[in-house]
Amino acid sequence: MDELDQRRRRALAAWTTWVEEGGALNQVRPEILDSWTRSGASVARDVIQAPLADESETRSFWQGSPLQIAVERVEDELRRTAEDGDLVLAVTDPDTRVLWTYGGRVMRRKAETVNFVPGGRWDDRSVGTNALDLANRLDRPSMVFSAEHYAPIVHNWVCWAAPLHDPVSGAKLGVLDISTTWERTHPIGLATARVLARLVEQALPRTHLYEEAAAAEETSEPGLVLSLLGTAEARVDGQRLLLNRRQTEILSLLALHPDGLSLDQLHAMLYGDHAVTFSTLKAEVSHLRAALAGQLASRPYRLLMPIATDVDHVLALLRRGDVAAAVEAYGGDLLPGTESPALVEMGEYVAVAVREALLADPQPDAVLHYSELAPYDTAVLEACLAELGREGRLRHPAIPLLKARLAVADA
């Protein structure tokens, strides 16, 4: 507490010097000083609360929005975090207008007195320097401690905020903020804000296809891109993960069950009837969590990052009837050699889905590509040749190749 109190006194002394004398201060972070200057041009220092946006317009923006859906999906975890740490949590729109809040008993009352509530406008030109505004404008996690805030009404606060982005397009959606009183400052506050922001991003409605996420991965957008069909490769934020077999299987199961799995469920899906202890599984999960820099929650086990897998991609293409693209994206058996009963079952499901789609719509190029992965599947080759015959396309350039494949398969 002594160290925190000294820090608070230094922040207040710097703020007082700036108010009385103006000018640059070496002891103040550049982004704070810049925001103080911005704030001073439009906000009175004796402001008593943030201005409120139109209530009906705020409600209309929030209701049914992707952010509302995401927050509702993880609201229990957000609420637990707020209650356990006596924090107030907030989610804003791209203009730093508060859309949703939840607070522990003490902080909720404090928040209400300064309009840290839905509709509150917390950009620095409305209420002065704060972490929500910095995270939004600078597009990076930010912290504002005590008198680093421009307005004295929040000099007793510490705030940590992290930006929220669409995990595929990268579009800015707003920020997630956690706040409490200055004496409760904790070194992991900023990391907690970042983890909770990832949690919300992961819960956003999954309206994008794998290829868009893969393209985002190539440009270093955050998230997990997992290739499982015919291979096993995981990349997080563009960096390849080096995992053992079991860790890869655990990661695959969690990626394919984004709502999370209990310890019992994960154990059954991974080991089936094999006599493996829960402590062994927990150890593997612990190693995987370390490899993911903590982005793996427990109770239930769940990944705290945007996820894209080639399995979801192939199935999405099949659902929309794009058989050729689905076959092109299909790399073969899911994690070849896996003994995980759940992954074996999923692999069979994808393989059968691709095969049945080809039997129903045997496009020559797609069939030829598929035959490289399943060279002994004569039924698909025969279906394609029969379809070309019915259509009278007896000179189709794929016919010799299809017949050659069939001859090799029958040999």
Side-chain angles (χ1 to χ4, degrees):
M1 177 65 73
D2 288 343
E3 183 178 343
L4 275 181
D5 186 55
Q6 290 174 11
R7 181 178 176 184
R8 181 184 66 86
R9 291 174 184 274
R10 288 195 300 269
L12 182 58
W15 180 85
T16 302
T17 299
W18 181 81
V19 167
E20 294 177 350
E21 302 176 10
L25 298 168
N26 293 332
Q27 62 267 44
V28 178
R29 289 180 285 150
E31 62 268 30
I32 296 295
L33 190 57
D34 174 68
S35 181
W36 282 356
T37 302
R38 287 167 50 87
S39 304
S42 56
V43 181
R45 286 192 296 277
D46 60 356
V47 59
I48 60 172
Q49 56 189 196
L52 289 172
D54 182 82
E55 182 180 357
S56 61
E57 181 184 345
T58 302
R59 188 185 309 111
S60 176
F61 182 93
W62 173 245
Q63 289 180 343
S65 68
L67 272 178
Q68 186 198 31
I69 293 170
V71 167
E72 287 181 348
R73 288 175 174 174
V74 298
E75 192 162 0
D76 287 347
E77 192 154 344
L78 296 177
R79 285 172 178 257
R80 276 199 304 272
T81 301
E83 291 166 357
D84 291 347
D86 196 18
L87 308 165
V88 60
L89 272 64
V91 171
T92 80
D93 68 5
D95 296 321
T96 330
R97 173 181 57 173
V98 175
L99 300 173
W100 173 90
T101 63
Y102 184 81
R105 181 175 55 84
V106 174
M107 282 306 299
R108 182 169 63 249
R109 290 201 301 269
K110 294 179 182 294
E112 289 170 351
T113 63
V114 295
N115 280 346
F116 198 74
V117 296
R121 290 164 43 199
W122 281 81
D123 59 287
D124 64 0
R125 293 191 184 277
S126 294
V127 72
T129 306
N130 63 84
L132 297 87
D133 175 81
L134 287 181
N136 196 22
R137 283 193 301 107
L138 302 180
D139 200 24
R140 65 173 186 253
S142 299
M143 170 190 180
V144 175
F145 173 80
S146 183
E148 288 183 331
H149 291 91
Y150 171 82
I153 54 169
V154 280
H155 277 187
N156 283 332
W157 288 36
V158 58
C159 305
W160 302 273
L164 294 165
H165 295 95
D166 182 299
V168 176
S169 69
K172 187 185 298 182
L173 302 178
V175 299
L176 179 142
D177 175 87
I178 57 178
S179 298
T180 187
T181 51
W182 67 267
E183 69 272 13
R184 299 177 68 87
T185 299
H186 197 283
I188 67 167
L190 203 58
T192 302
R194 187 172 183 268
V195 166
L196 293 179
R198 281 281 184 93
L199 184 68
V200 172
E201 289 174 343
Q202 168 58 26
L204 287 165
R206 302 179 70 182
T207 57
H208 302 283
L209 297 178
Y210 172 87
E211 66 265 23
E212 293 172 315
E217 181 269 335
E218 290 173 359
T219 56
S220 299
E221 291 293 343
L224 169 68
V225 176
L226 193 56
S227 300
L228 301 175
L229 298 173
T231 184
E233 181 178 282
R235 291 183 179 272
V236 173
D237 296 351
Q239 300 297 313
R240 186 171 182 177
L241 291 182
L242 298 178
L243 305 174
N244 66 29
R245 181 73 179 188
R246 283 302 189 200
Q247 292 160 12
T248 299
E249 290 173 332
I250 294 169
L251 181 63
S252 302
L253 289 168
L254 294 175
L256 295 171
H257 297 84
D259 291 334
L261 297 169
S262 68
L263 179 63
D264 287 342
Q265 289 173 321
L266 184 58
H267 189 279
M269 289 181 175
L270 185 62
Y271 300 114
D273 295 331
H274 291 289
V276 179
T277 65
F278 284 107
S279 60
T280 298
L281 174 56
K282 288 180 178 179
E284 294 286 11
V285 170
S286 179
H287 289 305
L288 178 59
R289 182 180 287 113
L292 295 172
Q295 303 299 297
L296 198 169
S298 56
R299 296 194 300 266
Y301 291 122
R302 179 174 55 193
L303 296 172
L304 304 178
M305 63 185 74
I307 304 166
T309 74
D310 53 356
V311 174
D312 289 332
H313 176 44
V314 169
L315 294 177
L317 291 171
L318 290 176
R319 278 193 293 271
R320 74 186 205 196
D322 196 343
V323 178
V327 174
E328 183 68 26
Y330 178 67
D333 293 340
L334 192 154
L335 283 185
T338 183
E339 295 181 355
S340 159
L343 293 176
V344 169
E345 181 179 345
M346 176 58 76
E348 291 175 351
Y349 175 77
V350 177
V352 170
V354 170
R355 185 175 187 271
E356 290 298 319
L358 275 176
L359 288 172
D361 183 14
Q363 301 173 33
D365 288 344
V367 169
L368 286 171
H369 181 74
Y370 173 78
S371 68
E372 296 174 1
L373 302 171
Y376 300 106
D377 193 340
T378 58
V380 173
L381 294 167
E382 290 169 347
C384 187
L385 287 167
E387 182 69 16
L388 290 173
R390 281 192 296 271
E391 294 177 355
R393 301 165 67 188
L394 300 179
R395 294 183 180 275
H396 193 285
I399 289 178
L401 298 173
L402 292 165
K403 288 183 175 180
R405 292 279 190 190
L406 188 58
V408 170
D410 286 334

